[in-house]
Amino acid sequence: MNDTILVLNGPNLNLLGKRQPEIYGHETLADAEALCRETAAGFGLRVDFRQSNAEHVLIESIHEFRTGSAGIVINAGAYTHTSVAILDALNTCEVPVIECHISNVHRREAFRHHSYVSLAATAVMAGFGTYGYALAIRHLAHIKSRDAA
Ligand code: CA2
């Protein structure tokens, strides 16, 4: 478990690469998963890659990985901007949490500028496309090796 990163994706991200490519690009969630696995493997780490459209399922995944894992990368989708329940779950985490958005939420509608997830996040990625997931994993690997030293 301490070599495993949870990559958690929220509502509608199962449609990645299939709709709105001008905002989210052409890569699918399966492409993002492959990139995450490959990046983590380069650091001797594993990825548990999940997607759910249900808030409570996302919360249960956070509970599973909140201690003893190598960290959590979370793209909570629209729940980012609405969910105090996900924030409360993230606030229980003893592992680093990286918030990740494919698009640059700060150049989009005002309602996307506020993030509950950010209040619990170690770091935030936005606008790097699916490559942001790889950068987030790289940073978790860095934290892990730094803390082990
Ligand atoms: O930029 C991101 O990664 C977002 O978290 C994506 C969310 C949005 O509500 C956030 O404000 C920013 C939306 C996910 C919906 O994903 C789709 C992907 C492709 C096609 C349709 C939806």
Side-chain angles (χ1 to χ4, degrees), residues 10-13 75-83 101 111-112 114 116:
N12 299 310
L13 283 159
N75 183 351
Y79 284 139
T80 303
H81 317 298
T82 63
S83 179
H101 298 288
F111 66 82
R112 296 188 205 275
H114 177 265
Y116 285 102

Side-chain angles (χ1 to χ4, degrees), residues 33-97:
E33 178 172 358
L35 177 64
C36 288
R37 288 191 193 289
E38 183 189 316
T39 305
F43 295 99
L45 297 171
R46 295 162 191 270
V47 159
D48 194 323
F49 195 95
R50 302 182 184 183
Q51 188 276 332
S52 178
N53 295 321
E55 192 175 23
H56 73 279
V57 175
L58 298 169
I59 290 168
E60 279 155 17
S61 287
I62 294 166
H63 291 174
E64 251 181 82
F65 283 78
R66 55 177 283 279
T67 61
S69 71
I72 297 175
V73 176
I74 180 166
N75 183 351
Y79 284 139
T80 303
H81 317 298
T82 63
S83 179
V84 176
I86 288 176
L87 170 62
D88 286 346
L90 291 172
N91 272 332
T92 73
C93 289
E94 294 175 10
V95 300
V97 173

Side-chain angles (χ1 to χ4, degrees), residues 7-9 13-14 16-17 24 26-40 47-51 73 75 100 102 128-135 137:
V7 180
L8 192 55
N9 294 280
L13 283 159
N14 51 310
L16 197 62
Y24 298 112
H26 290 278
E27 282 170 299
T28 65
L29 200 62
D31 294 331
E33 178 172 358
L35 177 64
C36 288
R37 288 191 193 289
E38 183 189 316
T39 305
V47 159
D48 194 323
F49 195 95
R50 302 182 184 183
Q51 188 276 332
V73 176
N75 183 351
C100 193
I102 294 162
F128 292 88
T130 53
Y131 184 56
Y133 288 74
L135 293 172
I137 287 170

Side-chain angles (χ1 to χ4, degrees), residues 104-119:
N104 179 358
V105 284
H106 299 291
R107 68 177 291 181
R108 299 185 63 194
E109 303 96 321
F111 66 82
R112 296 188 205 275
H113 299 176
H114 177 265
S115 165
Y116 285 102
V117 171
S118 290
L119 295 170

